[in-house]
Amino acid sequence: MKATIEVNEGNFETEVLNSAQPVLVDFWAAWCGPCKMLAPVLEEVAAEKRGQAKIVKVDVDANPVLAARFGVQSIPTLLYFAEGEVRHQTVGVTGKKAIVEKLDSLAVAA
């Protein structure tokens, strides 16, 4: 079972903006090579952080309104949310250590 959650325009508010825990949103597409490289890293982080943080994925091709709403122009783009607000942003492939550090900083701030 996947540890990440697929999110779309219909459930974004519930899963991300109203979440009690920090949320990492991965804006990706099936045709994106770097996105495919990042996916297993995000699955690993999601499994390790279960109950402490959420990792969700937004397919930019299926959800262009969400991508435009957050100004996503390059993928993969990772947006880190806490209390319904974007706190950090990373564009491109990022290492697991950097992802975990950003999530942990959000957990401390919350």
Side-chain angles (χ1 to χ4, degrees):
M1 184 174 111
K2 282 189 157 193
T4 56
I5 302 165
E6 291 289 332
V7 174
N8 56 43
E9 290 157 13
N11 66 353
F12 187 85
E13 188 167 334
T14 302
E15 292 291 345
V16 178
L17 301 180
N18 296 334
S19 176
Q21 52 193 241
V23 184
L24 166 57
V25 182
D26 173 27
F27 287 88
W28 70 285
W31 48 264
C32 167
C35 299
K36 291 177 184 175
M37 289 171 40
L38 188 58
V41 174
L42 294 176
E43 284 295 328
E44 203 175 301
V45 172
E48 290 174 11
K49 292 290 183 183
R50 186 169 287 153
Q52 301 164 28
K54 275 195 234 181
I55 313 294
V56 305
K57 298 175 76 66
V58 175
D59 182 337
V60 295
D61 290 335
N63 301 282
V65 171
L66 274 178
R69 177 175 170 188
F70 292 100
V72 174
Q73 296 181 349
S74 263
I75 54 174
T77 291
L78 303 179
L79 296 182
Y80 298 80
F81 285 81
E83 299 170 357
E85 294 180 17
V86 177
R87 301 295 170 96
H88 299 289
Q89 175 177 333
T90 307
V91 178
V93 176
T94 304
K96 179 180 174 183
K97 183 174 188 262
I99 292 169
V100 169
E101 284 174 358
K102 280 192 173 60
L103 280 172
D104 288 347
S105 76
L106 293 178
V108 168

